[in-house]
Amino acid sequence: MTEVTGRILDGKATAAAVREDVGAAAAQLIEAHGVTPGLAVILVGVDPASEVYVRNKDRDASQAGFHAQTIKLPAGTAQADLIAEVERLNADASVHGILVQLPLPGGLDQAAIVPRIAPSKDVDGLTPASVAALVTGQPGHRPCTPSGCVELMRRAGLELSGRHVVIVGRSQLVGKPMVQLALEQNATATICHSRTQDLAGHCRRADVLVAAVGVPKLVKGDWIKPGAVVLDVGINRGEDGKLVGDVDFEAARQNAGWITPVPGGIGPMTRAMLLVNTLASAARSAGTDLKALGLSG
Ligand code: NDP
């Protein structure tokens, strides 16, 4: 008997396709409208993981034909100076996307800084204005990780409408916006967290399971409904130093219809959606939109 295992939802390959489409659309924006998408990333302090993330974002943006800049500020930067930097970028017409790399070093209040980013340039989708737009169904930037989950499914031809999406994790960054995006796609959504009772039971009812917890291999193989789509957002460092997700991949794969690996799943999609958001912002500033530039969504 041949063994049937979940097919891999290849975020790395899909993200490469998204980046290629973004590059083509950016070239059109430059040619037809004379606008080069601009992304500015602010990195405060020295955090090795953040440095890698920022370098990758800068490289992705440059390769897509954007003007990318990384602004490095020392760990001891005063809150007022960081806000002044954000406001300088808000006023700079060549910058269409601003991202403050999180987490910020101690002494800097994320809740006081992020809202200062102009909503039109909030390509991380984290300002209160962007959150309000998401919840009320208005246009605005959607957070990159959950929109990467939706885009990965869309490009794989996997339907969300009418399906039961179960999300484990209720962070502002992933879990909560994922609920809204699932609803936007006409899915039925359940959100679970550390106080949820019978987590396994909830997961077993999921047509689409999104794990965004930060606990290695929390989701077991027998929690997966046969044929379900499993999107593993978690990025954890295993005992052997390798990256591991929130899902026990090998066991879950025995039941899943489709499953994302870690690495190579949602991580690359998150980065690709940052480019999409920045391009959308640049297009809007030129009086056009992604559709007119040939990018469907
Ligand atoms: P947070 O720490 O902000 O949130 C974790 C959530 O998981 C909380 O809601 C928490 O519940 C819940 N939780 C913790 N333990 C359990 C448990 N035992 N059972 C059920 N729920 C639990 O994490 P993030 O959302 O920021 O990140 C989650 C993971 O995703 C991390 O590994 C992170 O590195 C990764 N990540 C990956 C990204 C990517 O690009 N692929 C982007 C962003 C994050 P409660 O609210 O009750 O405390």
Side-chain angles (χ1 to χ4, degrees), residues 145 169-171 173-174 193-194 199 212-214 218 233-236 267 270:
T145 299
R170 57 174 163 179
S171 68
L173 194 64
V174 189
H193 45 78
S194 67
L199 181 62
V213 189
L218 174 78
V233 175
I235 301 177
N236 312 289
T270 297

Side-chain angles (χ1 to χ4, degrees), residues 210-263:
V210 181
V213 189
V215 177
K217 298 189 181 184
L218 174 78
V219 175
K220 309 301 175 215
D222 65 354
W223 296 13
I224 310 296
K225 180 173 164 178
V229 175
V230 179
L231 304 176
D232 189 352
V233 175
I235 301 177
N236 312 289
R237 192 65 68 182
E239 281 165 16
D240 54 3
K242 288 191 182 151
L243 292 184
V244 58
D246 291 342
V247 177
D248 185 347
F249 179 82
E250 285 307 333
R253 209 180 161 192
Q254 305 307 315
N255 281 334
W258 292 88
I259 185 166
T260 59
V262 176

Side-chain angles (χ1 to χ4, degrees), residues 147-166:
S147 58
C149 292
V150 172
E151 182 65 6
L152 182 59
M153 285 189 66
R154 190 184 74 79
R155 286 191 178 234
L158 297 169
E159 188 63 60
L160 270 163
S161 177
R163 304 188 77 189
H164 184 196
V165 179
V166 175

